[in-house]
Amino acid sequence: MKKLLFGIALLIPALLGAWEKEVLISTPNTSLLLSAPQGEELKFVYYGDKIDEAQVSQIYDAGLAINKAAYPVFGTESVYEPALIVQHADGNMTLDMQVTGVERENTDQYELVKVMMQDKVYPFGVDVYYKAFKNSDVIETWTQITNNEKKPVKLQKFASAYMPVRQGDVWISHLHGAWANESKLEVEPLKRGMKVLKNKDGVRNAHTDHAEVMISLDGVPSEENGRVIGAALCWSGNYDLTFDTDDTNFHGFFAGINPDASQYSLAPGEVFVTPELALTYSDQGVGGASRNFHKWARNGKVYNGTKQRDILLNSWEGVYFDIDEPRMDQMIKDIASLGGELFVMDDGWFGGKYQRLTDNSSLGDWVVDEKKLPNGIDTLVAMARNSGIKFGIWIEPEMTNSVSELYEKHPDWIVCHPKRTARPGRGGTQLVLDLSNPEVQEFIYNIVDDLMTNYPEIAYIKWDANMSIGDYGSSYLKGDKQSHLYIDYHRAFRKIMERIRAKYPDVVIQACASGGGRANYGLLPYFEEFWVSDNTEALQRIYMQWGVSYFFPSVAMASHVGSSPNHQTGRVMPLKFRFDVAMTGRLGIEMQPKNMTEQEVEFSKKAVETYKSIRPVVQQGDLYRLISPYDNKSVASLMYVTPEKERAVFFAYKTYHSYAQVLPRFKMNGLDASKNYRITELNQDADALSGLDGKIISGAVLMNEGIELPLKNEYASHVLELNEVN
Ligand code: DGJ
């Protein structure tokens, strides 16, 4: 009876069209408060530590209510930066939105709050969504824009979300890089004025800036202290994250699809859904915000985020394009004997009329090169099976070369305006396929479908993308829709991935884009992992992996042991250091194993076995960053701890070596102060031991006082496993 009454109580306000004016949206530890009075503007009131209904009034009493438009539109308060600018068919540039309803939907996983708004004059609607997760402190927000007018409306700017950030000692941490040097951490004060992080690549969006940012509200970012808001735009295409300070106490933060050259015409009845902006809040510094993102990612935002990842050998740096059956056979056997679980055949295996001998031909001709592989892929798959491992393959489905059968047949399938001549990219011949064209979408889907149908045992696909959109334009899109290309490309990409995932839920797919060009939450719902960088050099990887760890979980971070001298930087470094760095992510090997010495083979075998035992902690544990390589203390250190805090793995690296150095102590974190832990040194180098192997030390000592590590030599490193002692 009680249940029934409760149900009725909930129903009645909905029927009458009434709702609570204060809309409180909460995760386990955070709350976002809106004010949504019927017939008025939707207001953003508060985002921070969790409050309950009874505390809502305290936010107002304490003067904390921000009360700024939650989704500002152009045309009314035009002096302020808007999230949405449209032009109605009659030429009117203005919007005046009023709240018309609030709906809540509850599931085991999340609460979805929808605030509906309608223009006061035009039949034009904007619904703002907030999806508050129940098992992580993340709220995703986005909008749904509906044109119910009789003629098309032009969307000129259409951010996913806006958030006011109070001025003060605010700092931002974000990632910037370049090919082979991606995801470098940038930390800077948020000054008054405008700060823009944006991308215009068209295809990949994480080589230079990233679509994620941490906003530290209490001064210089601290790893474990202070209030931090994290934001990650879940869109694989061009994006725009802008901070714009207005003449109030606030910086405005806008995040969404980059509207540059992307005016979107919305037909009558058409709905435009903006990508999600994932927001998190933590009062435990950037470390807390990172852990929030990681948890949310593992629990759904990364495809199969809780599934254990295999240890693999990728053929690229071992043989590059020189693929043939004997080499593949040798590599398969070698990785199997090292204890690996998967072999991935990279670029160079395909091509009919044109052989793929280097990067200047054949993309699009996804047939086996019978000269290189006379017995086909079946034989390779069988070789892997016989060696007790899985088989994976490289493709670059969104691309072609002017030297290819595909291009000869469909020259109009490429991105480029028909009145222009495309300037090719990689290899002097590479071109981007026009994904806005449904025939191209079908072609791309079929690449995967054919591979998986012909070779159902393929367990892993490396999906590469090595070109940007340079010559903008489409032969498919009508004249007035040319400006849809950047957006339609990525909508199509999502559609293709959804089809692939519906039919092939189990194949592991890596997002690679000339290295780290696709570390982004727009793609990760379809991909298990991303390739961090084409730079496999362990020292540089420490910096890059540190950067990606701000937003992405280790389970999605493909991290391989490269050769020495390294192919990108030429640096010579010990195998132990290379393993110790790669073992903080999804471990792989990216070299020719047959070139290893006997000693190296022995070391690698043990390291692979060790990784298997710590894999659950590394891939699913909570990350604590201890000493940043960016702090120039000559060392870097981090650790992973299980949620139960009974097991942890600690990593320390020497990043700069000189004589008579004074190194910092290593204070651990995330442990239980009251527990005792037995320390086991992993990947031991008999000449450079930590001296901690077998010691039992309390969490309190490890966290409050720390440990001393010798780290005497250049590229010295230590990996310590901690197990609770009862
Ligand atoms: C770029 C990728 O990042 C590399 O790992 C490799 O797959 C090459 N493409 C192959 O062409």
Side-chain angles (χ1 to χ4, degrees):
M1 184 60 188
K2 216 175 173 188
K3 232 180 176 178
L4 190 70
L5 279 177
F6 183 63
I8 290 170
L10 275 181
L11 250 174
I12 289 171
L15 287 174
L16 296 177
W19 57 88
E20 291 290 321
K21 178 179 154 288
E22 303 301 328
V23 179
L24 186 61
I25 302 160
S26 294
T27 66
N29 300 294
T30 71
S31 288
L32 193 151
L33 180 62
L34 303 166
S35 167
Q38 184 168 21
E40 291 178 36
E41 194 177 35
L42 176 68
K43 295 272 170 60
F44 187 104
V45 179
Y46 166 85
Y47 183 41
D49 273 325
K50 187 166 188 164
I51 53 168
D52 58 27
E53 297 285 351
Q55 291 167 311
V56 165
S57 59
Q58 296 177 14
I59 295 295
Y60 286 92
D61 292 346
L64 300 176
I66 294 173
N67 265 330
K68 285 171 93 62
Y71 193 68
V73 294
F74 180 76
T76 40
E77 287 194 88
S78 310
V79 290
Y80 292 111
E81 186 67 26
L84 182 65
I85 307 178
V86 309
Q87 184 167 28
H88 303 278
D90 63 5
N92 184 353
M93 296 284 299
T94 69
L95 283 170
D96 192 356
M97 308 302 294
Q98 57 181 334
V99 174
T100 55
V102 176
E103 282 177 7
R104 286 182 186 262
E105 178 198 331
N106 257 293
T107 74
D108 291 349
Q109 303 293 315
Y110 58 80
E111 184 184 36
L112 185 64
V113 178
K114 172 170 146 186
V115 182
M116 291 163 283
M117 301 190 291
Q118 281 293 327
D119 187 89
K120 288 185 180 158
V121 175
Y122 289 81
F124 186 86
V126 177
D127 298 336
V128 188
Y129 286 84
Y130 298 88
K131 189 179 194 179
F133 288 87
K134 295 190 174 165
N135 57 2
S136 67
D137 285 311
V138 168
I139 298 175
E140 291 177 8
T141 176
W142 68 93
T143 57
Q144 184 169 296
I145 301 164
T146 308
N147 175 21
N148 285 321
E149 300 180 25
K150 293 212 169 70
K151 292 198 174 146
V153 168
K154 286 179 197 141
L155 305 185
Q156 298 190 343
K157 184 178 179 190
F158 31 89
S160 292
Y162 160 79
M163 181 178 56
V165 178
R166 195 192 186 285
Q167 289 190 44
D169 197 2
V170 178
W171 287 63
I172 56 170
S173 311
H174 57 103
L175 307 178
H176 183 88
W179 176 77
N181 194 18
E182 294 91 336
S183 305
K184 303 298 279 294
L185 183 64
E186 295 288 338
V187 181
E188 57 185 305
L190 183 61
K191 301 241 173 85
R192 292 191 186 93
M194 204 182 262
K195 172 82 189 171
V196 182
L197 306 171
K198 69 179 177 183
N199 174 277
K200 287 184 166 186
D201 185 278
V203 177
R204 308 85 47 93
N205 67 7
H207 263 137
T208 51
D209 284 314
H210 263 244
E212 306 87 34
V213 62
M214 294 283 189
I215 309 163
S216 297
L217 306 176
D218 297 317
V220 179
S222 147
E223 198 48 48
E224 298 300 334
N225 296 301
R227 296 170 304 143
V228 175
I229 293 173
L233 187 75
C234 309
W235 178 243
S236 55
N238 297 353
Y239 59 81
D240 185 329
L241 309 186
T242 294
F243 292 91
D244 186 17
T245 319
D246 59 32
D247 59 359
T248 67
N249 281 350
F250 294 87
H251 306 282
F253 174 62
F254 298 83
I257 292 175
N258 184 344
D260 293 353
S262 288
Q263 177 173 286
Y264 212 89
S265 165
L266 209 57
E270 198 178 341
V271 173
F272 186 95
V273 182
T274 63
E276 317 88 84
L277 177 73
L279 291 171
T280 192
Y281 168 86
S282 171
D283 56 11
Q284 287 161 32
V286 284
S290 294
R291 287 187 289 279
N292 290 351
F293 274 133
H294 297 170
K295 200 165 176 201
W296 159 77
R298 287 194 303 261
N299 287 315
K301 206 63 183 178
V302 167
Y303 192 78
N304 272 337
T306 53
K307 206 167 163 190
Q308 179 169 289
R309 307 302 201 241
D310 289 329
I311 302 164
L312 63 86
L313 171 68
N314 184 289
S315 68
W316 181 240
E317 290 194 17
V319 297
Y320 291 102
F321 292 100
D322 295 335
I323 278 173
D324 61 25
E325 196 176 292
R327 285 193 183 101
M328 296 300 96
D329 186 32
Q330 166 256 312
M331 290 184 110
I332 287 170
K333 289 193 173 119
D334 283 349
I335 185 61
S337 79
L338 291 176
E341 298 151 326
L342 166 72
F343 171 72
V344 182
M345 176 168 68
D346 209 285
D347 198 350
W349 61 267
F350 54 93
K353 180 171 159 193
Y354 303 103
Q355 251 198 314
R356 178 105 168 147
L357 299 175
T358 180
D359 58 7
N360 62 5
S361 73
S362 320
L363 293 172
D365 303 345
W366 300 106
V367 291
V368 184
D369 179 340
E370 287 172 356
K371 291 198 190 93
K372 292 181 182 179
L373 302 170
N375 299 306
I377 291 177
D378 280 324
T379 306
L380 303 181
V381 172
M383 284 169 172
R385 188 191 322 121
N386 294 338
S387 296
I389 63 168
K390 299 175 193 162
F391 182 81
I393 199 161
W394 178 95
I395 47 175
E396 194 177 357
E398 298 149 82
M399 305 287 160
T400 188
N401 292 100
S402 54
V403 183
S404 71
E405 290 175 73
L406 179 72
Y407 182 73
E408 284 170 356
K409 223 164 121 194
H410 299 288
D412 58 329
W413 275 14
I414 60 159
V415 170
C416 185
H417 194 274
K419 289 193 180 143
R420 303 278 177 208
T421 308
R423 269 155 292 200
R426 188 182 187 202
T429 58
Q430 186 156 338
L431 299 159
V432 182
L433 291 175
D434 178 3
L435 269 67
S436 71
N437 182 339
E439 282 182 337
V440 173
Q441 295 166 19
E442 197 58 26
F443 170 77
I444 293 179
Y445 171 77
N446 284 332
I447 297 170
V448 174
D449 195 31
D450 290 349
L451 270 178
M452 295 305 297
T453 307
N454 294 335
Y455 318 108
E457 279 181 72
I458 287 180
Y460 179 104
I461 290 174
K462 176 172 172 177
W463 182 303
D464 208 343
N466 292 301
M467 197 176 158
S468 323
I469 289 181
D471 298 288
Y472 185 92
S474 163
S475 298
Y476 172 76
L477 292 171
K478 300 257 166 3
D480 60 338
K481 300 272 171 70
Q482 284 289 316
S483 60
H484 290 199
L485 177 62
Y486 282 141
I487 294 173
D488 285 358
Y489 185 104
H490 288 275
R491 286 182 159 179
F493 182 59
R494 264 194 197 193
K495 242 171 53 192
I496 295 166
M497 292 315 298
E498 264 156 27
R499 277 179 79 190
I500 291 173
R501 278 315 186 184
K503 189 154 177 200
Y504 303 106
D506 296 328
V507 63
V508 174
I509 314 184
Q510 179 190 74
C512 172
S514 310
R518 277 188 163 168
N520 173 274
Y521 279 116
L523 296 113
L524 284 172
Y526 314 104
F527 291 80
E528 271 87 348
E529 60 176 37
F530 58 89
W531 184 220
V532 176
S533 175
D534 272 350
N535 188 341
T536 51
E537 194 241 80
L539 182 62
Q540 282 208 255
R541 275 293 184 123
I542 291 176
Y543 292 83
M544 292 187 268
Q545 294 179 179
W546 194 272
V548 295
S549 82
Y550 264 56
F551 304 98
F552 302 98
S554 53
V555 73
M557 186 176 87
S559 178
H560 296 180
V561 177
S563 314
S564 177
N566 179 267
H567 289 198
Q568 288 76 40
T569 65
R571 246 188 217 121
V572 174
M573 44 183 56
L575 188 61
K576 170 177 164 54
F577 187 74
R578 288 178 273 146
F579 260 103
D580 287 359
V581 172
M583 278 166 72
T584 59
R586 194 278 287 133
L587 176 68
I589 298 179
E590 183 100 10
M591 57 180 164
Q592 175 49 285
K594 77 169 186 196
N595 296 340
M596 285 179 175
T597 64
E598 236 172 80
Q599 252 182 338
E600 285 178 330
V601 168
E602 278 324 299
F603 183 89
S604 303
K605 274 187 186 165
K606 271 201 211 137
V608 166
E609 198 186 319
T610 299
Y611 183 76
K612 284 181 188 165
S613 88
I614 60 168
R615 173 162 48 187
V617 187
V618 170
Q619 294 187 358
Q620 298 295 322
D622 291 325
L623 168 70
Y624 289 85
R625 289 181 295 256
L626 305 173
I627 303 177
S628 169
Y630 293 91
D631 286 349
N632 296 324
K633 292 185 174 157
S634 304
V635 293
S637 180
L638 57 96
M639 66 193 289
Y640 295 100
V641 185
T642 60
E644 299 74 27
K645 301 187 182 297
E646 92 295 5
R647 210 176 160 209
V649 187
F650 163 94
F651 298 84
Y653 312 103
K654 189 85 171 274
T655 51
Y656 176 74
H657 179 66
S658 75
Y659 193 72
Q661 270 177 301
V662 179
L663 299 180
R665 270 194 189 161
F666 295 81
K667 283 189 182 181
M668 297 196 186
N669 206 344
L671 300 170
D672 182 336
S674 65
K675 287 186 163 130
N676 283 318
Y677 295 91
R678 181 190 306 280
I679 298 177
T680 310
E681 178 152 18
L682 308 177
N683 291 353
Q684 289 192 12
D685 169 359
D687 299 327
L689 293 171
S690 67
L692 285 151
D693 190 49
K695 301 274 161 45
I696 295 176
I697 306 178
S698 71
V701 169
L702 292 169
M703 292 194 290
N704 300 335
E705 299 299 329
I707 53 172
E708 294 278 1
L709 287 172
L711 291 170
K712 284 216 178 70
N713 308 317
E714 183 150 47
Y715 308 127
S717 55
H718 294 290
V719 183
L720 306 175
E721 182 180 348
L722 284 77
N723 282 292
E724 181 187 354
V725 187
N726 291 313

